[in-house]
Amino acid sequence: MDFKRIEWIFFFAFLGLNLFLFSMYREAKLDQNITSRTNETIPLYKRLASENIKYEGDFSARKRDGYYLSGVPTDFEQALKSERERLKQPDLLSKQTTIDEHVLTHTINDVIMMTDRGQVEEVLSKILNQPHLVLFGDEYQYIAEDTNLMNDNPEIVAGQYYEEIPINDPASRLTLRLEKEADHWSVDQYIQTHISELQPLRESMPTYSEREAINTLYINNQIPPNSKILWRKLAYKMTLIVRGQAIFVPTWFIQIETNNNEVKTEMVNAFTNRIITNSVIATVEDQK
């Protein structure tokens, strides 16, 4: 057997494969550059219009300042004990209240009704401003995008906020559950989560703009043709847990309705302009 000949055959085979892969790589880079240049020269609104993608208003080019925030999930047992002592009300939320780790659930006995959708913020404010009814009420604000009165389980949603930017995350939320009657809604109970000791980890940084976040979703094919952008909002989202500390980052939330009437919410990290819709919250614990 001519081993020398076999060696040369393998050499040319691998050389050909490498040349093929290199050409594919160059082609991909060329396509990427062409796409990038195209995106730079054709305005975003024209590209969206060409694919019948609808939206309301204009996309803001404002780059707001935000932070990497840290905080800890609230110990409701301890928080409730402290509030009872502060208010001198030993029976505060002692009835029809359950605490499961970092989630507090309270059934409301008082009759609180709403006869019109326009009363949502009024009803929410009424509840948040009663210290005997809800803890940390002044730390929450209304989140219209997550509030829904149309489905079978109507609810009003509020979240904490930091320097006027809301926190849109299950770890920091107060949800009022409603019962739908013939001509009104009544508040049945609320479910609450809360983050304590919210503080920035470093100096503020400029975020990518709303327009840049929309562009990122578009060029990554996350806004399909003939769809509609329902709303977009900048809010904090938890991305990491380090030794019990929750880390939040400014995130663009963009809700899209496809031509199949499916609704999805895409998320773009406002510091890196990368899509994080399907990212998993990483957890870092102490090494033993």
Side-chain angles (χ1 to χ4, degrees):
M1 183 178 289
D2 190 346
F3 289 102
K4 196 69 176 176
R5 184 181 179 186
I6 294 175
E7 286 179 358
W8 278 107
I9 291 173
F10 275 106
F11 172 77
F12 284 113
F14 281 114
L15 179 61
L17 178 61
N18 287 331
L19 289 173
F20 173 75
L21 293 175
F22 181 69
S23 67
M24 293 289 290
Y25 171 77
R26 287 192 63 189
E27 242 178 77
K29 292 294 288 182
L30 181 61
D31 289 343
Q32 185 180 32
N33 289 335
I34 292 172
T35 301
S36 178
R37 287 196 299 272
T38 301
N39 290 334
E40 290 174 1
T41 56
I42 302 177
L44 177 60
Y45 74 91
K46 286 189 176 181
R47 285 181 277 137
L48 297 179
S50 70
E51 298 193 36
N52 194 32
I53 297 172
K54 298 179 181 179
Y55 56 92
E56 294 182 359
D58 295 323
F59 299 128
S60 173
R62 177 188 176 192
K63 295 177 180 288
R64 299 179 63 177
D65 285 342
Y67 299 89
Y68 284 104
L69 292 179
S70 74
V72 295
T74 297
D75 182 339
F76 277 113
E77 296 280 5
Q78 183 59 47
L80 192 52
K81 179 182 177 181
S82 298
E83 197 66 2
R84 285 169 177 168
E85 293 174 354
R86 187 182 73 85
L87 296 175
K88 295 181 173 56
Q89 295 183 15
D91 295 329
L92 177 68
L93 296 180
S94 61
K95 297 179 179 179
Q96 296 182 291
T97 300
T98 60
I99 296 174
D100 183 6
E101 292 189 359
H102 303 297
V103 180
L104 184 149
T105 303
H106 178 71
T107 300
I108 297 176
N109 288 325
D110 299 337
V111 178
I112 301 176
M113 293 192 307
M114 183 175 66
T115 57
D116 185 84
R117 292 186 180 89
Q119 297 175 316
V120 167
E121 291 188 72
E122 177 186 341
V123 168
L124 176 62
S125 178
K126 180 179 180 180
I127 292 174
L128 294 179
N129 289 327
Q130 297 186 56
H132 71 279
L133 187 57
V134 60
L135 300 176
F136 314 112
D138 60 345
E139 297 182 25
Y140 292 86
Q141 67 178 11
Y142 178 50
I143 300 181
E145 293 80 7
D146 287 337
T147 294
N148 194 327
L149 303 180
M150 301 298 292
N151 59 22
D152 294 334
N153 299 297
E155 58 187 28
I156 301 171
V157 179
Q160 289 176 261
Y161 56 95
Y162 190 86
E163 293 190 356
E164 299 183 357
I165 297 180
I167 300 175
N168 190 1
D169 193 276
S172 168
R173 185 167 292 172
L174 188 139
T175 303
L176 302 181
R177 290 188 169 176
L178 312 177
E179 286 289 336
K180 180 69 172 75
E181 306 295 340
D183 58 352
H184 69 273
W185 294 267
S186 60
V187 181
D188 182 44
Q189 66 173 199
Y190 68 76
I191 299 174
Q192 182 181 13
T193 55
H194 183 266
I195 296 292
S196 298
E197 302 174 26
L198 272 173
Q199 57 185 337
L201 292 176
R202 55 185 296 179
E203 296 296 320
S204 63
M205 298 168 53
T207 64
Y208 280 85
S209 69
E210 178 184 285
R211 183 187 301 168
E212 290 169 317
I214 295 291
N215 185 65
T216 292
L217 291 177
Y218 174 76
I219 64 177
N220 283 280
N221 301 314
Q222 297 305 305
I223 308 179
N226 304 309
S227 62
K228 182 178 182 180
I229 299 172
L230 300 178
W231 53 261
R232 54 268 188 194
K233 186 182 186 71
L234 181 67
Y236 283 101
K237 169 181 167 52
M238 187 194 300
T239 58
L240 182 67
I241 299 175
V242 181
R243 301 177 184 87
Q245 290 274 337
I247 310 300
F248 297 85
V249 66
T251 301
W252 281 107
F253 291 77
I254 296 104
Q255 191 171 89
I256 300 164
E257 183 179 19
T258 69
N259 61 350
N260 296 323
N261 296 321
E262 295 179 357
V263 176
K264 63 175 184 173
T265 302
E266 296 288 344
M267 303 174 203
V268 179
N269 185 315
F271 279 156
T272 64
N273 204 24
R274 293 183 177 178
I275 300 171
I276 58 172
T277 304
N278 298 315
S279 62
V280 177
I281 297 174
T283 302
V284 179
E285 301 292 351
D286 287 322
Q287 297 293 327
K288 295 183 178 180

